[in-house]
Amino acid sequence: MDTILGPLYIAVSWIIVQFHSFYSLIFDKDSGAAWGLSIVSLVVLIRICLIPLFVKQIKSTRNMQALQPKMKAIQERYKSDKQRQSEEMMKLYKETGTNPLSSCLPILAQSPFFISLYQVLSHIAQNKTVGVIDQPLLESAQKAHIFGAPLAAKFMDSAEKIQSLGASVLDVRVVTIIMIVLMSASQFYTQRQLMTKNVDLTVKTPFMQQQKMLMYVFPIMFAVFGINFPVGVLVYWLTTNVWTMGQQMFVIRRNPTPGSKAFAERQERLRAAGKIVEDPATVEAKQAAEEARQNRQQPKRQTKSQRQTGSAAPAGGAQNRTRAGSASGGTDSGQGAEKKQSLEKKDAQDGKEKGGASGSRTTKSGQRKGQQRPKHPSKK
């Protein structure tokens, strides 16, 4: 590994030494500020150089989101033929100009620098020169502490090794735990921001499930592997996470994914600023729909007793209205009332007559039922 990455060790150590020479004009050359800011500046320089890859990553991620429905259709169509499925996938990538590995390019490009910095700090902890860091610079780096923790110290280092670097075990472990928590929190927030604001929620794809899984996997990975990283490497990775978070916030605000929540917020800001002029008919239709939604009232939920009372109320109201109407019209139509009484008497008499007739018929039928015919002599 040292033979393969030897030239990169020299490049990384040279960049750190140049930044250290600059910050030594402001801070003490043996201070943690001079060496810590040198590592932060290394991160910033690398990330600036990787901006074109970051832009390519964004485009690739959006293309992959758009292709998810087609990819799923191909998988369903050729589920029994894996070779044909792979061929169709590659054909789809070629036609759309999408590279699935483009989303991993920034991480892959950073990996050699990350490994090189890890090895440089490990050499410093072992009191070995590396790259352009000679013995005087090695001694200066070993004296550098960040909040009481040496740059080359690890969480899992023994008490003897930490004491040889001029620090205590408590200081090293407190500083490393705080940095690991900050690393995990920044990574989680970055991934969550991507999922909640910059994803088209109208299309449900497996890509969204993968991103949601990574939102929880990456912080756990940082927490597990972070205890084996030197403090200087934790500074490097924490700075990388903060840079990624800020860069993503800028991209989401300026160039969000169409159909996402961030895209709708950007459109509203542009409308408020007068930079987007919509069709008047569209504006009127939206206003009418909004007014209809506001004016629409949902019926209140009623209990069973309230529903029964409500159904009985109209009948009582109708009776009251009838009585009120008869009372108001009684003064003007006395003759009508007399006719009504005479008609009621006539109906009562008719009812009695009918009742009598029906009673006689009932009596006769009862008599017929009570009587028994004599049996025929032949049946005895």
Side-chain angles (χ1 to χ4, degrees):
M1 182 66 72
D2 290 346
T3 305
I4 297 173
L5 296 178
L8 201 55
Y9 295 170
I10 296 174
V12 170
S13 61
W14 183 83
I15 294 172
I16 292 176
V17 167
Q18 298 306 312
F19 281 119
H20 177 261
S21 300
F22 171 74
Y23 289 116
S24 296
L25 301 174
I26 305 172
F27 307 100
D28 182 14
K29 65 177 183 178
D30 298 336
S31 64
W35 285 99
L37 289 174
S38 299
I39 296 174
V40 171
S41 300
L42 172 67
V43 175
V44 173
L45 179 62
I46 293 173
R47 293 308 300 265
I48 290 174
C49 295
L50 294 179
I51 286 177
L53 292 180
F54 180 75
V55 174
K56 194 170 183 179
Q57 178 193 23
I58 294 174
K59 293 181 179 179
S60 176
T61 303
R62 291 183 180 178
N63 289 339
M64 290 295 293
Q65 290 178 357
L67 290 178
Q68 286 298 318
K70 295 182 180 179
M71 293 169 61
K72 191 173 182 180
I74 292 174
Q75 292 173 353
E76 292 292 332
R77 186 175 181 181
Y78 303 105
K79 61 171 61 177
S80 59
D81 190 351
K82 298 296 182 182
Q83 183 177 357
R84 182 64 184 279
Q85 185 181 120
S86 301
E87 292 175 357
E88 293 295 328
M89 287 287 188
M90 296 303 296
K91 183 179 179 181
L92 180 64
Y93 293 149
K94 187 176 181 180
E95 290 175 352
T96 57
T98 303
N99 185 2
L101 297 178
S102 297
S103 58
C104 303
L105 285 178
I107 296 177
L108 295 176
Q110 286 184 82
S111 298
F113 295 97
F114 178 80
I115 296 172
S116 299
L117 180 62
Y118 179 86
Q119 292 296 328
V120 167
L121 293 173
S122 296
H123 280 72
I124 293 173
Q126 297 170 9
N127 200 19
K128 295 179 180 179
T129 59
V130 57
V132 300
I133 298 178
D134 53 11
Q135 192 63 34
L137 289 172
L138 179 62
E139 294 176 357
S140 176
Q142 287 180 340
K143 294 176 183 177
H145 291 65
I146 295 178
F147 301 109
L151 287 175
K154 304 176 186 176
F155 181 88
M156 300 300 292
D157 284 345
S158 62
E160 293 80 8
K161 186 175 182 179
I162 293 175
Q163 288 175 0
S164 66
L165 296 172
S168 65
V169 176
L170 180 62
D171 291 340
V172 171
R173 292 187 176 176
V174 168
V175 171
T176 52
I177 288 174
I178 291 174
M179 286 190 174
I180 290 171
V181 170
L182 292 176
M183 284 168 53
S184 302
S186 59
Q187 180 66 36
F188 178 81
Y189 180 80
T190 301
Q191 197 68 22
R192 186 176 183 276
Q193 180 181 232
L194 178 66
M195 286 295 301
T196 56
K197 288 190 175 183
N198 204 36
V199 173
D200 186 1
L201 299 178
T202 59
V203 181
K204 302 294 183 181
T205 62
F207 179 80
M208 296 176 63
Q209 297 297 327
Q210 295 174 5
Q211 293 295 319
K212 188 176 181 180
M213 182 181 65
L214 293 177
M215 182 171 64
Y216 297 99
V217 170
F218 276 151
I220 295 174
M221 290 176 60
F222 281 122
V224 171
F225 295 110
I227 59 176
N228 295 314
F229 291 161
V231 173
V233 175
L234 295 179
V235 171
Y236 175 94
W237 206 249
L238 178 60
T239 306
T240 297
N241 285 357
V242 173
W243 177 280
T244 303
M245 183 172 61
Q247 193 176 45
Q248 184 172 275
M249 289 175 66
F250 177 83
V251 172
I252 289 176
R253 182 175 178 83
R254 297 284 182 175
N255 189 20
T257 302
S260 63
K261 181 180 178 181
F263 183 80
E265 292 175 354
R266 181 176 179 271
Q267 295 297 101
E268 290 297 329
R269 289 195 303 268
L270 293 176
R271 289 191 191 96
K275 295 182 180 180
I276 294 181
V277 180
E278 293 184 344
D279 185 16
T282 305
V283 175
E284 291 179 1
K286 288 183 178 179
Q287 290 178 353
E290 183 65 21
E291 290 177 358
R293 186 185 67 81
Q294 293 178 355
N295 294 332
R296 186 172 63 248
Q297 295 181 356
Q298 296 294 336
K300 295 182 179 180
R301 189 173 182 179
Q302 296 180 346
T303 62
K304 184 176 181 180
S305 60
Q306 290 176 340
R307 289 195 297 270
Q308 291 175 350
T309 305
S311 61
Q319 292 176 0
N320 293 334
R321 287 194 298 271
T322 304
R323 292 172 182 174
S326 62
S328 61
T331 56
D332 297 331
S333 55
Q335 296 178 356
E338 294 177 356
K339 290 182 180 180
K340 186 176 180 181
Q341 291 177 358
S342 62
L343 289 173
E344 289 177 353
K345 290 180 181 180
K346 185 176 180 181
D347 291 339
Q349 292 175 359
D350 293 341
K352 288 179 180 180
E353 294 176 357
K354 291 178 180 180
S358 61
S360 61
R361 283 196 299 271
T362 304
T363 304
K364 291 179 181 180
S365 62
Q367 291 175 355
R368 285 197 299 269
K369 288 181 181 179
Q371 294 176 356
Q372 293 183 356
R373 292 181 180 180
K375 294 182 179 180
H376 196 273
S378 61
K379 293 181 179 181
K380 288 183 180 180

